[in-house]
Amino acid sequence: METIIYTEDSLAVPARLIRQGELIAFPTETVYGLGADATNEAAVNKVYQAKGRPSDNPLIVHIKEITDLDPFVDNLSEKAQSLMAKFWPGPLTLIFEIKKNSLPSVATGGLSTAAFRMPNNKMALALIEQAGVPIVGPSANTSGKPSPTTAQHVYHDLAGKIAGILDDGPTDIGLESTVVDMTTEIPVILRPGAVTVEALASVVGEVNLDQHLISENEAPKAPGMKYQHYSPNARVLLIDWQKNNWQDALDWSAKKGISCGILASREIIQSFKADVVGNYELSITQDVQTASQRLFAGLRELDGQKQPIAVIFAQTYPEEGAGLAYMNRLKKAANQEYFQRDD
């Protein structure tokens, strides 16, 4: 299959392909999604096949208007309506109980619930409108690898496996949406994102945070909950922001003869003279929001060096505010592993 890059001027073609049951990657403000007609079981199955994604991992349904929920969800709570009014369109996904058989079970991971989002991206909303159907949109990458934040990242992973990619340049946020379970009295954050705990609480009061790690044998209720996820081929080791033991890590890799790369702020990178294969600036200063936007691109670039990198040393931040989402993704990319000198 030839994978064609489309622009906004040719939007009618990918919209038609979605209606015909094909797969089209599309931009959002978070990451690029792999789009298919959410109501078409065969099309949704193609998503799992293209990504190599476990079929128990539910997908997020992307909509253009709140009324697009009507065929699937009854009786939206006041809290849900308040969150949608505040954050939609935007990087917030809400999980609801759905009407029986309103979506194919393959789209929901066999659950009685489904996740919905209204993306804050002009081209994404236009694609949904012109296709005339809700669109599932998991990250448009090989399952388990860093999520794509450019059309080129998508092409690298999925060329020949999907019909096309709608190109809108780099994404603005760079991390997937916040996922909130609205099926309980107190909303539960299942995946942190750009809409923070504090922002949610300011609208609906108390919210709970569930960051327990899903084992390979446990069915997740939302995407991105697996123990290891977003991982490059290289081993990722976290440098504790409190210990700040960068020099120990670089000395250790040199002594062991291990090729390494640095994923950190310019301030950190320029503070060391080390023999590294490559480095990638997450930000100029210690800016976690910029670091979040550049995290997946950095993992991908360091993983793609001509001279292979065995270990990526990565900067960490306190797990609060915007740092919560950043660390959620980075810790999974590193399989929760911090650098510890073993000699």
Side-chain angles (χ1 to χ4, degrees):
M1 177 186 296
E2 181 183 5
T3 299
I4 299 172
I5 305 291
Y6 295 99
T7 62
E8 187 174 13
D9 293 339
S10 55
L11 193 60
V13 178
R16 173 174 53 80
L17 289 168
I18 289 283
R19 289 195 302 273
Q20 293 173 345
E22 300 296 340
L23 306 186
I24 296 291
F26 64 99
T28 76
E29 77 280 26
T30 57
V31 301
Y32 274 73
L34 182 53
D37 178 354
T39 65
N40 183 330
E41 182 176 3
V44 176
N45 271 317
K46 288 182 183 179
V47 171
Y48 288 102
Q49 293 164 8
K51 284 177 59 68
R53 180 187 179 103
S55 59
D56 67 347
N57 209 350
L59 305 177
I60 295 172
V61 179
H62 292 66
I63 60 175
K64 184 180 181 294
E65 307 285 352
I66 291 177
T67 53
D68 292 345
L69 289 172
D70 292 348
F72 311 107
V73 181
D74 280 326
N75 303 319
L76 291 170
S77 68
E78 287 187 12
K79 288 181 179 180
Q81 292 180 57
S82 296
L83 289 174
M84 289 186 291
K86 176 69 173 178
F87 298 112
W88 279 10
L92 177 66
T93 294
L94 300 177
I95 294 177
F96 302 113
E97 290 285 345
I98 59 170
K99 299 176 185 179
K100 189 173 182 180
N101 299 323
S102 60
L103 283 169
S105 62
V106 67
T108 66
L111 302 173
S112 63
T113 57
F116 295 88
R117 181 163 101 84
M118 187 189 299
N120 189 16
N121 178 278
K122 177 183 174 183
M123 289 173 66
L125 294 173
L127 178 66
I128 298 167
E129 181 177 34
Q130 292 193 31
V133 292
I135 295 176
V136 294
S139 56
N141 60 309
T142 301
S143 185
K145 294 302 179 185
S147 296
T149 55
T150 68
Q152 290 69 36
H153 294 162
V154 179
Y155 194 86
H156 175 273
D157 283 17
L158 300 180
K161 298 180 180 180
I162 65 177
I165 303 167
L166 189 56
D167 188 356
D168 190 33
T171 62
D172 294 328
I173 294 174
L175 297 181
E176 302 87 352
S177 60
T178 304
V179 177
V180 180
D181 185 359
M182 300 302 296
T183 65
T184 57
E185 183 176 345
I186 299 172
V188 180
I189 301 171
L190 299 182
R191 182 179 72 187
V195 179
T196 64
V197 176
E198 296 79 8
L200 292 164
S202 71
V203 175
V204 296
E206 184 179 2
V207 293
N208 291 328
L209 176 64
D210 179 3
Q211 288 218 83
H212 89 279
L213 300 169
I214 299 293
S215 69
E216 288 304 314
N217 297 320
E218 188 178 356
K221 196 170 187 179
M225 295 182 70
K226 294 286 187 178
Y227 192 88
Q228 186 170 8
H229 210 63
Y230 319 112
S231 299
N233 294 322
R235 180 185 183 189
V236 178
L237 290 176
L238 308 176
I239 303 299
D240 191 302
W241 65 274
Q242 292 177 301
K243 294 180 180 177
N244 200 31
N245 52 343
W246 285 95
Q247 194 62 60
D248 276 350
L250 295 169
D251 291 345
W252 171 82
S253 64
K255 181 179 179 180
K256 297 281 188 177
I258 297 172
S259 61
C260 69
I262 298 177
L263 183 67
S265 68
R266 180 182 299 178
E267 184 178 356
I268 288 174
I269 290 170
Q270 292 183 344
S271 65
F272 298 106
K273 291 184 178 179
D275 184 17
V276 299
V277 174
N279 57 59
Y280 187 90
E281 290 184 3
L282 289 174
S283 64
I284 296 175
T285 58
Q286 307 287 352
D287 175 9
V288 69
Q289 289 186 320
T290 303
S292 296
Q293 196 273 337
R294 292 173 60 80
L295 174 61
F296 290 141
L299 290 170
R300 283 176 172 271
E301 181 163 314
L302 290 175
D303 217 28
Q305 299 289 309
K306 289 183 179 179
Q307 179 184 341
I309 289 175
V311 172
I312 297 171
F313 295 118
Q315 179 179 2
T316 61
Y317 283 91
E319 294 184 55
E320 59 189 25
L324 185 64
Y326 172 88
M327 289 302 299
N328 174 272
R329 308 312 193 275
L330 182 58
K331 286 170 72 175
K332 289 175 181 175
N335 198 22
Q336 320 296 314
E337 191 175 10
Y338 283 82
F339 167 74
Q340 292 185 355
R341 193 157 184 155
D342 58 5
D343 59 355

